[in-house]
Amino acid sequence: ICGWIADRTPNRSVAFYTGLLILLAATVLFGVAKASWVLLISRLCQGLSAAITYTVGLALLVDTVGRDNIGQWMGTALSSSSFGLIVSPLLGGIVYAKAGYMAVFGMAMGLIIFDILMRLVMIEKKTAAKYRPTEALTTDNSFYGTFTTQDEAMDEQSDNARAPNEPRDQAESTHLLSNGHKEPARTKGRMPTILVLLGIPRLLAAIYGIFVNVSILAAFDGVLPLYVKSLFGWNSLNAGLIFLCLAVPALTGPLVGKLSDKAGPRWIAVAGCALTAPPLILLRLVAHNSVEQKFLLCAMLICCGFTLILIVSPVAADLSAVVEEKEKADPDAFGPGGAYAQAFALFNCAMAAATLFGPVVAGALVERYGWGTMTAAMGIFAFSGAIPSVSFSRP
């Protein structure tokens, strides 16, 4: 729903502000909650905010950077997200230990307010095009769609100049998509955009890739602190510090995205899924309290950090490329609003499902079968992400 609205609003920033304000309200509610129903409302608002900000934010990124650099910037955005997901337990633990409960929520609210202030100085590419004639040639101010090159826009301008006497009713019967094609004004009978997207195997492969990635990270978030506390006797601060082994490698996301732009996403994503399996399975060897075992745990987590980041940037970049290529092949597939926001809404749904799936499944496996079985299952699960990537992703 958020993606559909974002694709059909003239200004994505309004939706983004709405999401951030909902998140701010949810954080305040969470901090002051004294009853379970207030906690429930705050968590529902946090989920709604995430649906809006992830969907609109990634769509804004695609609108701004263009296809040539999409992998690099998508890698920057999603590796920052992964870094935040991993490092937040560490920061929360430190602040809670030093300053107490409410200080944690104060830190979160300060970050949200800073984000809102940053958005106030953000100018969408479509808005900037109104004041920069060169960009006005390459941007349609009425809706969002695929990337447009300046050459295509100049060709469009030439076509308009060659046909100044075109009948008014004929001119009104067509409109220009942002990729320069003309589309008949008919919209009746078009399949809903979400169903069109779900019918593209390459897009489903990208969604499954991010589902695997986030599930593994969320599984660590759910079971790792408890395991190191029971095995090594670590407190919350030490358990939080171990997440740096996953967080620091996530900062290489922009480099992976740049490589994906040059070499293509398929084999990088396949390598990420396949190479994540061995260190996950080897984590089963961490079974008793010793210095060597602690070093082994850190080493395997660092390996997982470097391999997991190979998945994120390529699949996200390929997702945007799928939408663009589908619109070029069939300009009537998505309608005048395009489908970037709805594609990333599906992407966000996969991430949300993964944050539930990972901890629940990993926790159940640890409780019933033990740590070793859980790590082996996660390793097999990681390898499964390579199968759709090698079959459907763009070379």
Side-chain angles (χ1 to χ4, degrees), residues 48-104:
L48 177 60
S49 170
I52 297 172
T53 53
Y54 264 99
T55 299
V56 179
L58 292 177
L60 275 170
L61 183 65
V62 173
D63 292 337
T64 303
V65 302
R67 179 172 182 175
D68 291 341
N69 299 310
I70 186 62
Q72 179 180 354
W73 288 104
M74 197 64 71
T76 302
L78 293 177
S79 63
S80 299
S81 176
S82 298
F83 181 83
L85 177 68
I86 297 167
V87 82
S88 55
L90 168 62
L91 294 177
I94 293 173
V95 173
Y96 178 75
K98 300 296 183 181
Y101 179 79
M102 285 306 299
V104 177

Coordinates of all heavy atoms in Angstrom, one line a residue, residues 48-104:
L48 N 4.8 0.4 10.8 CA 4.2 1.3 9.8 C 5.3 2.3 9.3 O 5.4 2.5 8.1 CB 3.0 2.0 10.3 CG 2.4 3.0 9.4 CD1 1.9 2.4 8.1 CD2 1.2 3.8 10.1
S49 N 6.0 2.8 10.2 CA 7.1 3.8 9.8 C 8.1 3.1 9.0 O 8.6 3.7 8.0 CB 7.7 4.4 11.1 OG 8.9 5.1 10.8
A50 N 8.5 1.9 9.4 CA 9.5 1.2 8.6 C 9.0 0.9 7.2 O 9.8 1.0 6.2 CB 9.9 -0.1 9.3
A51 N 7.8 0.5 7.1 CA 7.2 0.3 5.7 C 7.3 1.5 4.8 O 7.6 1.4 3.7 CB 5.7 -0.2 5.9
I52 N 7.1 2.7 5.4 CA 7.1 3.9 4.7 C 8.5 4.4 4.3 O 8.8 4.6 3.2 CB 6.3 5.0 5.4 CG1 4.9 4.7 5.6 CG2 6.5 6.4 4.7 CD1 4.1 5.6 6.5
T53 N 9.4 4.4 5.4 CA 10.7 5.0 5.1 C 11.6 4.1 4.3 O 12.3 4.6 3.4 CB 11.4 5.3 6.5 OG1 11.4 4.1 7.3 CG2 10.7 6.4 7.3
Y54 N 11.5 2.8 4.5 CA 12.3 1.9 3.6 C 11.9 2.0 2.2 O 12.7 2.1 1.2 CB 12.2 0.5 4.1 CG 13.4 0.1 5.0 CD1 13.2 0.1 6.4 CD2 14.6 -0.4 4.5 CE1 14.3 -0.3 7.2 CE2 15.6 -0.8 5.3 CZ 15.5 -0.8 6.7 OH 16.5 -1.1 7.5
T55 N 10.6 1.9 2.0 CA 10.0 1.9 0.6 C 10.3 3.2 -0.1 O 10.8 3.2 -1.2 CB 8.5 1.6 0.7 OG1 8.3 0.4 1.3 CG2 7.9 1.7 -0.7
V56 N 9.9 4.3 0.5 CA 10.1 5.6 -0.1 C 11.6 6.0 -0.2 O 12.0 6.6 -1.2 CB 9.3 6.7 0.6 CG1 9.5 8.1 0.0 CG2 7.8 6.3 0.7
G57 N 12.3 5.7 0.8 CA 13.7 6.0 0.8 C 14.5 5.4 -0.3 O 15.3 6.0 -1.1
L58 N 14.3 4.1 -0.5 CA 15.0 3.4 -1.6 C 14.5 3.9 -3.0 O 15.3 3.9 -3.9 CB 14.8 1.9 -1.5 CG 15.5 1.3 -0.2 CD1 15.2 -0.2 -0.1 CD2 17.0 1.5 -0.3
A59 N 13.2 4.1 -3.1 CA 12.7 4.7 -4.4 C 13.3 6.0 -4.7 O 13.6 6.3 -5.8 CB 11.2 4.7 -4.3
L60 N 13.4 6.9 -3.7 CA 14.1 8.2 -3.9 C 15.5 8.0 -4.3 O 16.0 8.8 -5.2 CB 14.1 9.0 -2.6 CG 12.8 9.8 -2.3 CD1 12.8 10.3 -0.8 CD2 12.7 10.9 -3.2
L61 N 16.2 7.0 -3.8 CA 17.6 6.8 -4.2 C 17.7 6.4 -5.6 O 18.5 6.9 -6.4 CB 18.2 5.7 -3.3 CG 19.6 5.3 -3.5 CD1 20.5 6.5 -3.1 CD2 20.0 4.1 -2.7
V62 N 16.8 5.5 -6.1 CA 16.8 5.1 -7.5 C 16.4 6.3 -8.4 O 17.0 6.5 -9.4 CB 15.7 4.0 -7.7 CG1 15.6 3.6 -9.2 CG2 16.2 2.7 -6.9
D63 N 15.5 7.1 -8.0 CA 15.1 8.3 -8.8 C 16.3 9.2 -9.0 O 16.5 9.9 -10.0 CB 14.0 9.1 -8.1 CG 12.7 8.4 -8.0 OD1 12.5 7.5 -8.9 OD2 11.9 8.7 -7.2
T64 N 17.2 9.3 -8.0 CA 18.3 10.3 -7.9 C 19.5 9.9 -8.7 O 20.1 10.7 -9.4 CB 18.6 10.6 -6.5 OG1 17.4 11.1 -5.8 CG2 19.7 11.7 -6.4
V65 N 20.0 8.6 -8.4 CA 21.4 8.3 -8.9 C 21.5 7.8 -10.3 O 22.6 7.8 -10.9 CB 22.0 7.3 -7.9 CG1 22.0 7.9 -6.5 CG2 21.3 6.0 -7.9
G66 N 20.4 7.2 -10.8 CA 20.5 6.6 -12.2 C 21.1 5.2 -12.2 O 21.7 4.8 -11.2
R67 N 20.9 4.6 -13.3 CA 21.3 3.1 -13.3 C 22.8 2.9 -13.2 O 23.2 1.9 -12.7 CB 20.7 2.5 -14.6 CG 21.1 1.0 -14.8 CD 20.4 0.4 -15.9 NE 20.7 -1.0 -16.0 CZ 20.2 -1.9 -16.9 NH1 19.3 -1.4 -17.7 NH2 20.5 -3.1 -16.9
D68 N 23.6 3.7 -13.8 CA 25.0 3.4 -13.9 C 25.7 3.3 -12.5 O 26.7 2.6 -12.4 CB 25.8 4.5 -14.7 CG 25.4 4.5 -16.2 OD1 24.9 3.5 -16.6 OD2 25.6 5.5 -16.8
N69 N 25.2 4.0 -11.5 CA 25.8 4.0 -10.2 C 24.8 3.4 -9.1 O 25.1 3.6 -7.9 CB 26.2 5.4 -9.8 CG 27.2 6.0 -10.7 OD1 28.2 5.4 -11.0 ND2 26.9 7.2 -11.2
I70 N 23.8 2.7 -9.6 CA 22.8 2.3 -8.6 C 23.3 1.3 -7.6 O 23.0 1.2 -6.5 CB 21.5 1.7 -9.3 CG1 20.4 1.4 -8.3 CG2 21.9 0.5 -10.2 CD1 19.9 2.6 -7.6
G71 N 24.2 0.4 -8.1 CA 24.7 -0.7 -7.2 C 25.6 -0.1 -6.1 O 25.4 -0.4 -4.9
Q72 N 26.4 0.9 -6.4 CA 27.3 1.5 -5.4 C 26.4 2.2 -4.4 O 26.7 2.1 -3.2 CB 28.2 2.5 -6.1 CG 29.1 3.3 -5.1 CD 30.0 4.2 -5.9 OE1 30.1 4.3 -7.1 NE2 30.8 5.0 -5.1
W73 N 25.4 3.0 -4.8 CA 24.7 3.8 -3.8 C 23.7 2.9 -3.1 O 23.4 3.2 -1.9 CB 24.0 5.0 -4.5 CG 25.0 6.0 -4.9 CD1 25.5 6.3 -6.1 CD2 25.6 6.9 -4.0 NE1 26.4 7.3 -6.1 CE2 26.5 7.7 -4.8 CE3 25.6 7.1 -2.6 CZ2 27.3 8.7 -4.2 CZ3 26.4 8.1 -2.1 CH2 27.2 8.9 -2.8
M74 N 23.2 1.9 -3.8 CA 22.3 1.0 -3.0 C 23.1 0.2 -2.0 O 22.6 -0.1 -0.9 CB 21.7 0.0 -4.0 CG 20.5 -0.8 -3.5 SD 19.1 0.3 -3.1 CE 18.5 0.8 -4.7
G75 N 24.3 -0.1 -2.4 CA 25.2 -0.8 -1.4 C 25.5 0.1 -0.2 O 25.5 -0.3 1.0
T76 N 25.7 1.4 -0.5 CA 25.9 2.4 0.6 C 24.7 2.4 1.6 O 24.8 2.4 2.8 CB 26.2 3.8 0.1 OG1 27.3 3.7 -0.8 CG2 26.4 4.8 1.2
A77 N 23.5 2.5 1.0 CA 22.3 2.6 1.8 C 22.0 1.4 2.6 O 21.8 1.4 3.8 CB 21.1 2.9 0.9
L78 N 22.1 0.2 1.9 CA 21.7 -1.0 2.6 C 22.8 -1.5 3.6 O 22.5 -2.1 4.6 CB 21.4 -2.1 1.6 CG 20.1 -1.8 0.8 CD1 19.9 -2.9 -0.3 CD2 18.9 -1.7 1.7
S79 N 24.1 -1.2 3.2 CA 25.1 -1.6 4.2 C 25.0 -0.7 5.4 O 25.3 -1.2 6.6 CB 26.5 -1.4 3.6 OG 26.8 -0.1 3.2
S80 N 24.6 0.6 5.3 CA 24.4 1.4 6.4 C 23.2 0.9 7.3 O 23.3 0.9 8.5 CB 24.0 2.8 6.0 OG 25.1 3.4 5.2
S81 N 22.2 0.4 6.6 CA 21.1 -0.2 7.3 C 21.5 -1.5 8.1 O 21.2 -1.7 9.3 CB 20.0 -0.6 6.3 OG 18.9 -1.3 7.0
S82 N 22.3 -2.3 7.4 CA 22.8 -3.5 8.1 C 23.7 -3.1 9.3 O 23.7 -3.8 10.3 CB 23.6 -4.4 7.1 OG 22.8 -4.8 6.0
F83 N 24.6 -2.1 9.0 CA 25.5 -1.7 10.1 C 24.7 -1.2 11.3 O 25.0 -1.5 12.5 CB 26.4 -0.5 9.6 CG 27.4 0.0 10.6 CD1 28.6 -0.7 10.8 CD2 27.1 1.1 11.4 CE1 29.5 -0.2 11.8 CE2 28.0 1.6 12.3 CZ 29.2 0.9 12.5
G84 N 23.6 -0.4 11.1 CA 22.8 0.0 12.2 C 22.1 -1.1 12.9 O 22.0 -1.1 14.1
L85 N 21.6 -2.1 12.1 CA 20.9 -3.2 12.7 C 21.8 -4.0 13.6 O 21.4 -4.5 14.7 CB 20.4 -4.1 11.6 CG 19.7 -5.4 12.0 CD1 18.4 -5.1 12.8 CD2 19.4 -6.3 10.8
I86 N 23.1 -4.1 13.2 CA 24.0 -4.9 14.0 C 24.6 -4.1 15.2 O 24.8 -4.7 16.3 CB 25.2 -5.4 13.1 CG1 24.6 -6.3 11.9 CG2 26.3 -6.1 13.8 CD1 25.6 -6.5 10.8
V87 N 24.9 -2.8 15.0 CA 25.6 -2.1 16.0 C 24.6 -1.5 17.1 O 25.1 -1.2 18.2 CB 26.4 -1.0 15.4 CG1 25.6 0.3 15.1 CG2 27.6 -0.6 16.3
S88 N 23.3 -1.5 16.8 CA 22.4 -0.9 17.7 C 22.3 -1.6 19.0 O 22.2 -1.0 20.1 CB 21.0 -0.8 17.1 OG 20.5 -2.1 16.6
P89 N 22.4 -3.0 19.1 CA 22.4 -3.7 20.4 C 23.6 -3.2 21.2 O 23.5 -3.1 22.5 CB 22.5 -5.1 20.1 CG 21.9 -5.2 18.7 CD 22.3 -4.0 18.0
L90 N 24.8 -3.0 20.5 CA 26.0 -2.6 21.3 C 25.8 -1.2 21.9 O 26.0 -1.0 23.1 CB 27.2 -2.6 20.3 CG 28.4 -1.9 20.8 CD1 29.0 -2.6 22.0 CD2 29.5 -1.8 19.7
L91 N 25.3 -0.2 21.1 CA 25.1 1.1 21.6 C 24.0 1.2 22.6 O 24.2 1.8 23.7 CB 24.7 2.0 20.4 CG 25.8 2.3 19.3 CD1 25.2 3.2 18.2 CD2 27.0 2.9 19.9
G92 N 22.9 0.4 22.4 CA 21.9 0.4 23.4 C 22.4 -0.2 24.7 O 22.1 0.3 25.8
G93 N 23.2 -1.2 24.7 CA 23.7 -1.8 25.9 C 24.7 -0.9 26.6 O 24.6 -0.8 27.9
I94 N 25.5 -0.2 25.9 CA 26.4 0.8 26.5 C 25.7 1.9 27.2 O 25.9 2.3 28.4 CB 27.4 1.3 25.5 CG1 28.4 0.2 25.0 CG2 28.3 2.4 26.1 CD1 29.3 0.6 23.9
V95 N 24.7 2.5 26.5 CA 24.0 3.6 27.0 C 23.1 3.2 28.2 O 23.0 3.9 29.2 CB 23.1 4.3 25.9 CG1 22.2 5.3 26.5 CG2 24.0 4.9 24.8
Y96 N 22.5 2.0 28.1 CA 21.7 1.5 29.2 C 22.5 1.3 30.5 O 22.1 1.6 31.6 CB 21.0 0.2 28.8 CG 20.1 -0.4 29.9 CD1 18.9 0.1 30.2 CD2 20.6 -1.5 30.6 CE1 18.1 -0.4 31.2 CE2 19.8 -2.1 31.6 CZ 18.6 -1.5 31.9 OH 17.9 -2.1 32.9
A97 N 23.7 0.7 30.2 CA 24.6 0.4 31.4 C 25.1 1.7 32.1 O 25.3 1.8 33.3 CB 25.8 -0.4 31.0
K98 N 25.3 2.7 31.3 CA 25.9 4.0 31.8 C 24.9 5.0 32.2 O 25.1 5.8 33.2 CB 26.8 4.6 30.7 CG 28.0 3.7 30.3 CD 29.0 3.4 31.4 CE 30.1 2.6 30.9 NZ 31.1 2.3 32.0
A99 N 23.7 5.1 31.5 CA 22.8 6.2 31.8 C 21.4 5.8 32.1 O 20.5 6.6 32.4 CB 22.8 7.2 30.6
G100 N 21.0 4.5 31.9 CA 19.7 4.1 32.3 C 18.7 3.9 31.1 O 19.1 4.2 29.9
Y101 N 17.5 3.5 31.4 CA 16.5 3.1 30.5 C 16.1 4.3 29.5 O 16.2 4.1 28.3 CB 15.3 2.6 31.2 CG 14.1 2.2 30.4 CD1 14.1 1.0 29.7 CD2 13.0 3.0 30.2 CE1 13.1 0.5 28.9 CE2 11.9 2.6 29.4 CZ 12.0 1.4 28.8 OH 10.9 1.0 28.0
M102 N 15.7 5.4 30.0 CA 15.2 6.5 29.2 C 16.3 7.1 28.3 O 16.0 7.7 27.3 CB 14.6 7.6 30.1 CG 13.2 7.2 30.6 SD 12.0 6.7 29.4 CE 11.9 8.1 28.4
A103 N 17.6 7.0 28.7 CA 18.6 7.5 27.9 C 18.7 6.8 26.5 O 19.1 7.4 25.5 CB 20.0 7.4 28.6
V104 N 18.4 5.5 26.5 CA 18.4 4.8 25.3 C 17.4 5.4 24.3 O 17.7 5.6 23.1 CB 18.1 3.3 25.5 CG1 18.0 2.5 24.2 CG2 19.1 2.7 26.5

